Amino acid sequence: MRTHLTITTVALLAGAPAAFAQSATSPDLPSAGETKVDTATFSRTVPSANRFEIESSKLAEQKNVAADVKDFAALMIKDHTKAGEDFKTALERSQTTASVTSSGPALQPKDQAMLDQLKRLDGDAFQAKYIALQMEAHSKRPVMAAFRDGVRIG
């Protein structure tokens, strides 16, 4: 059963460098290679992506999936909860007018659509889609890579 976690971990680590090389697919998402990210875009995108990670991982804990996938989901909840708290603290310390409410932001349409898709699945179908979305989220979201790597916002 550890195979799923191993595959997911290797895929996430292998995909990490791709986050730096990718250009934005939308004018809303600046590339991770840029040295400055628009504050409004950053403060709108990061909390939604982070919340998607938490909500999708909570689903994984409830669904009929392998134990190692549930362990991975628990780790994602822990890590992304801390990341959300760190982000909120950073915003509070910054000189921006952006804020994150205690209930969190509404998910952006893409994140909500992915979460809705996961809610309809179970078992192997859920597990495969959850792993694929985790790989995508950790390797193809340039704004999240910017947050992870401390790119200057403003």
Side-chain angles (χ1 to χ4, degrees), residues 113-134:
M114 291 186 301
L115 189 62
D116 290 343
Q117 187 177 30
L118 283 172
K119 287 178 181 179
R120 292 187 295 268
L121 301 173
D122 198 16
D124 290 342
F126 174 88
Q127 184 169 293
K129 188 65 174 179
Y130 173 73
I131 290 170
L133 290 174
Q134 289 298 319

Side-chain angles (χ1 to χ4, degrees), residues 47-53 55 105-112 115:
S48 178
N50 199 55
R51 183 169 168 207
F52 168 77
E53 295 288 338
E55 296 300 321
L107 289 175
Q108 291 194 357
K110 179 182 178 189
D111 294 327
Q112 185 64 58
L115 189 62

Side-chain angles (χ1 to χ4, degrees), residues 5-134:
L5 183 58
T6 302
I7 291 170
T8 302
T9 303
V10 169
L12 290 174
L13 292 174
F20 299 107
Q22 295 211 3
S23 62
T25 57
S26 161
D28 233 12
L29 300 174
S31 71
E34 294 179 10
T35 58
K36 187 174 180 181
V37 177
D38 174 270
T39 303
T41 299
F42 190 82
S43 60
R44 181 179 66 248
T45 305
V46 169
S48 178
N50 199 55
R51 183 169 168 207
F52 168 77
E53 295 288 338
I54 293 168
E55 296 300 321
S56 64
S57 295
K58 285 180 180 178
L59 278 175
E61 287 187 322
Q62 299 167 6
K63 297 286 186 168
N64 183 22
V65 296
D68 57 338
V69 174
K70 286 187 182 202
D71 291 343
F72 177 80
L75 180 65
M76 289 296 95
I77 292 167
K78 178 183 170 203
D79 287 353
H80 282 275
T81 297
K82 174 144 181 19
E85 291 166 0
D86 292 347
F87 183 72
K88 185 174 179 181
T89 299
L91 280 179
E92 289 168 353
R93 290 182 182 167
S94 73
Q95 295 179 355
T96 181
T97 57
S99 66
V100 176
T101 64
S102 58
S103 63
L107 289 175
Q108 291 194 357
K110 179 182 178 189
D111 294 327
Q112 185 64 58
M114 291 186 301
L115 189 62
D116 290 343
Q117 187 177 30
L118 283 172
K119 287 178 181 179
R120 292 187 295 268
L121 301 173
D122 198 16
D124 290 342
F126 174 88
Q127 184 169 293
K129 188 65 174 179
Y130 173 73
I131 290 170
L133 290 174
Q134 289 298 319

